[in-house]
Amino acid sequence: QVQLVESGGGLVQAGGSLRLSCAASGSIFSIIAMGWYRQAPGKQREFVAQVTTTDTTNYADSVKGRFTISRDSAKNTVYLQMNGLKPEDTAVYYCNAGAYAGDYYNYWGQGTQVTVSS
């Protein structure tokens, strides 16, 4: 089992910045990738960014050039630096961890609200 705890959400004006953090605990040795998804009201949850244990990163087209994902392996923490925020970035952001322990598992955090005002 992997537990994920997010922090760092809040209210910011358009053009501003926020940094989200996600701390992992439990069976962290099984984690192969961590990332962020988001879900806006009335919409499906969508992929935002991912970083693997080999530091390969991947981003949704909508956030490329504005968001940066990084990880601190010593702290078992993943960060999402969000710059140039737009009102359409408003959503609940969920941390995700993909793990392999004989089979593939998917873990989710509780979510953190990001609201961007125009």
Side-chain angles (χ1 to χ4, degrees):
Q1 290 284 336
V2 173
Q3 294 79 42
L4 303 172
V5 178
E6 303 115 329
S7 61
L11 173 65
V12 65
Q13 288 189 333
S17 299
L18 282 174
R19 189 177 82 155
L20 306 183
S21 301
C22 174
S25 61
S27 301
I28 57 174
F29 60 88
S30 65
I31 294 175
I32 56 177
M34 290 183 68
W36 294 91
Y37 287 69
R38 66 187 182 186
Q39 188 167 18
K43 294 188 176 181
Q44 289 189 332
R45 191 172 297 189
E46 63 177 6
F47 170 78
V48 176
Q50 181 189 64
V51 60
T52 70
T53 52
T54 58
D55 291 321
T56 298
T57 57
N58 191 24
Y59 296 92
D61 288 343
S62 58
V63 306
K64 280 181 182 176
R66 300 188 298 123
F67 291 9
T68 302
I69 190 168
S70 62
R71 69 186 188 102
D72 184 335
S73 57
K75 296 182 179 180
N76 302 314
T77 299
V78 169
Y79 304 97
L80 185 69
Q81 179 66 43
M82 304 184 293
N83 299 328
L85 283 161
K86 305 175 182 180
E88 51 263 44
D89 294 318
T90 295
V92 177
Y93 283 70
Y94 294 92
C95 182
N96 170 268
Y100 183 79
D103 201 350
Y104 288 99
Y105 298 89
N106 223 11
Y107 298 97
W108 295 95
Q110 80 283 359
T112 186
Q113 177 70 46
V114 171
T115 302
V116 184
S117 63
S118 57

